[in-house]
Each structure stands twice: as structure tokens, then as C-alpha cells.
Amino acid sequence: RLAGQLGSGAKALRILMTGDSSAAGVGVMTQEHAFAGHFTRTLYRRSGRAVRWRLRAKSGLTTRQVHEFLRADPPPVADIAIVLTGVNDVIDMVSPAKAVQHRAALAEWLLGEGRARYVVFAPLPPINQFPLLPQPLRGVMGHDARLHDEAMARWAPTKPNVFHAPFDLQLAPGAMSRDGFHPGEPVYRACGEIIARFVVEKILPLEK
């Protein structure tokens, strides 16, 4: 559990970031180099608004477990919740349809309880490019991850105030952490910057 603020002002954006190890920043030494650091700095710079953020994340959680994790200790109200989950759904062989149901339950809880005004789900990473995983496991898990992401991309537009932030991420050599499974700083930087731009371009205009 971490919190911070960039800038000052009465109309600060309140951000909740939650999820699994990718949200927690496993693979880098500090949050400055993790998703949270890159996302909040880019959001602050591009939106021109102060950013108050909280991070609630834990390694190994599936989407359903992220929901349980938050319900056990509800976070303060946020304007936007950013959710990074999915890899552990694939590892635990949760079906794409069931994973969507779990995302729907999480989003409905956040929105219905007034915990967030908007919910943004990050896409699953290209598991087929993870250097740690041997073939054919890498290909099988990569295929499953694409099915999960495609199901989420179809579902999100059907729900008010729920978004899927797509992007095409190519994992260049050295982009991953030393363990070959978790993101390295280049991946966190790319993801944080892309999703921050998505928020500025697609969500903030809805407030006007």
C-alpha cells in the first residue's frame, strides 16, 4: 500500500492503481521506475493537473482475488481506477469468459460503491514474448492471453465508464527484468506513458 501526490491544486486527479505484480512494480527497485511512477508523472505532465495517487497491489493475484483484496480494505474514493491484472488468470487457467465476469464484478463494485468514477483495464502483456518461458508453453500461454485480451476488449465498451486501454507492446531484448518473467523498467515506462495518454485523451474530456 503506497500513496503520493504530484503538484497541488483543488482539482487534483485522484487515482487508484491496483492489481497483481505488474501493478506492484515487481522487477524494478523502486516505484519511480515502475508503472506507478511512469503513469503518474506522465499523467501530471500531460493533464496539467495535480495527481493524488494510491497503489493497492499484491503479487500473484488473479482478477477475482484483486476484487477480494480491495473489498477487504476498501480504498479511498478515486476519480479513475487503473487495473492491471490478467497474467495470473492465464496461469490459473481461468477461462476468458470467467475472467470477464470477474472484471465486471470488480468494475461494478468500484463504480457502484462510488469508489471510482471510471475504471480502466490495462491489456494483458504479450506472454508469447516472455524469455523465461520455454516453447511450447510460451506459445500456449501467449495464445490464451490474446483470447483474454480480446474478450476484455469486446466487453469493456458495453459498460458505462469502463475502458480497455489497448496497445501493441513489443518486448525488445533487455526490456524484461532479470527473472525473464516480470517487466523491466522499459516495459513499465511504455505501459505507464501509453495508459496515461489514454486517460488524458479518452477520459478527461468526459469531465467537460
Side-chain angles (χ1 to χ4, degrees):
R1 178 193 299 187
L2 293 171
Q5 180 163 332
L6 296 174
S8 60
K11 295 185 66 176
L13 288 167
R14 299 166 299 174
I15 303 295
L16 169 67
M17 292 167 285
T18 189
D20 54 25
S21 59
S22 59
V26 174
V28 294
M29 294 297 293
T30 69
Q31 289 300 322
E32 179 181 357
H33 298 107
F35 174 85
H38 288 293
F39 172 79
T40 54
R41 287 194 300 274
T42 304
L43 182 61
Y44 172 60
R45 185 171 61 250
R46 287 183 168 267
S47 69
R49 293 174 61 178
V51 176
R52 293 204 300 267
W53 60 269
R54 292 182 181 272
L55 174 62
R56 297 281 185 87
K58 186 177 179 181
S59 295
L61 298 185
T62 62
T63 303
R64 179 181 59 80
Q65 291 167 338
V66 169
H67 187 184
E68 294 172 349
F69 178 65
L70 293 178
R71 286 177 64 93
D73 184 14
V77 172
D79 296 305
I80 303 170
I82 309 294
V83 183
L84 292 87
T85 65
V87 171
N88 294 309
D89 292 329
V90 173
I91 292 173
D92 284 10
M93 294 185 290
V94 178
S95 71
K98 183 63 69 174
V100 164
Q101 291 178 16
H102 294 161
R103 285 185 169 85
L106 172 56
E108 289 167 4
W109 179 76
L110 287 166
L111 297 170
E113 292 287 324
R115 297 287 168 186
R117 295 180 60 193
Y118 305 98
V119 180
V120 179
F121 288 93
L124 273 75
I127 298 179
N128 61 299
Q129 299 179 40
F130 283 17
L132 171 72
L133 298 176
Q135 295 289 15
L137 179 61
R138 188 190 309 174
V140 171
M141 290 185 64
H143 174 71
D144 289 348
R146 285 193 297 272
L147 294 180
H148 276 248
D149 208 51
E150 290 167 0
M152 179 166 50
R154 290 192 298 269
W155 160 75
T158 70
K159 299 297 181 181
N161 298 344
V162 176
F163 299 84
H164 170 257
F167 57 79
D168 183 19
L169 183 64
Q170 298 298 316
L171 301 182
M176 300 292 283
S177 66
R178 290 182 180 180
D179 67 14
F181 187 81
H182 292 99
E185 193 273 339
V187 178
Y188 282 128
R189 181 175 63 249
C191 294
E193 292 177 351
I194 290 171
I195 295 179
R197 289 198 297 268
F198 180 90
V199 168
V200 171
E201 295 170 4
K202 302 295 185 181
I203 298 179
L204 296 190
L206 299 176
E207 297 185 334
K208 299 177 180 179

